[in-house]
Amino acid sequence: MSGYIIYHYNVTDQTRIEQLGPLSLPILAQYSGQLVVGSGVRVLEGSPYTNMVMYKFKSVAAAKDFYESDEAQELSKLRNAVTEGIVVLVPEYGSQ
C-alpha cells in the first residue's frame, strides 16, 4: 500500500522558498515518488500551518527510503532554513 510524506509548514524566508521545488523534483523522481499536493492551505478549522506539500510513494518503505536518502536530507537543510513546520510519514488508509 502507498506511503505519503507530508510537509506542513509556514514560510519564513520568501526570497529562498522558490528554490525548494526545482531541487526536490529530481530527487522525488529518483525514488519514483509523485507530487500530489503543493499549495497553500485553506483553513476550515483550527490553526494549521499555511502550506502543504504531499508526496506519494508505492509503499511506506519507499517513502521512508526517500526521506532518509542523502539527497533528501541535504535538501532538508534548505527547507529548515526557509520554513518552520512538521514532516510526517503516513500509510495509505487501511494499511498497518
Side-chain angles (χ1 to χ4, degrees):
M1 296 203 159
S2 298
Y4 298 83
I5 298 285
I6 302 171
Y7 301 90
H8 194 40
Y9 59 92
N10 291 326
V11 176
T12 58
D13 186 343
Q14 283 295 140
T15 62
R16 295 173 50 206
I17 190 67
E18 296 300 321
Q19 296 174 17
L20 276 176
L23 292 172
S24 64
L25 291 177
I27 302 167
L28 182 64
Q30 182 180 340
Y31 287 85
S32 301
Q34 176 186 2
L35 175 63
V36 293
V37 173
S39 66
V41 299
R42 185 171 147 205
V43 178
L44 299 177
E45 191 173 318
S47 300
Y49 295 107
T50 57
N51 295 280
M52 186 174 291
V53 171
M54 182 185 308
Y55 297 148
K56 179 180 180 180
F57 296 88
K58 63 182 177 183
S59 67
V60 170
K64 190 175 178 193
D65 287 346
F66 162 81
Y67 181 76
E68 293 177 348
S69 71
D70 291 341
E71 301 91 346
Q73 288 300 301
E74 186 63 30
L75 189 57
S76 74
K77 294 175 186 175
L78 173 60
R79 185 182 63 253
N80 290 324
V82 301
T83 67
E84 64 177 5
I86 63 169
V87 181
V88 296
L89 172 60
V90 183
E92 179 179 352
Y93 178 76
S95 64
Q96 298 291 342

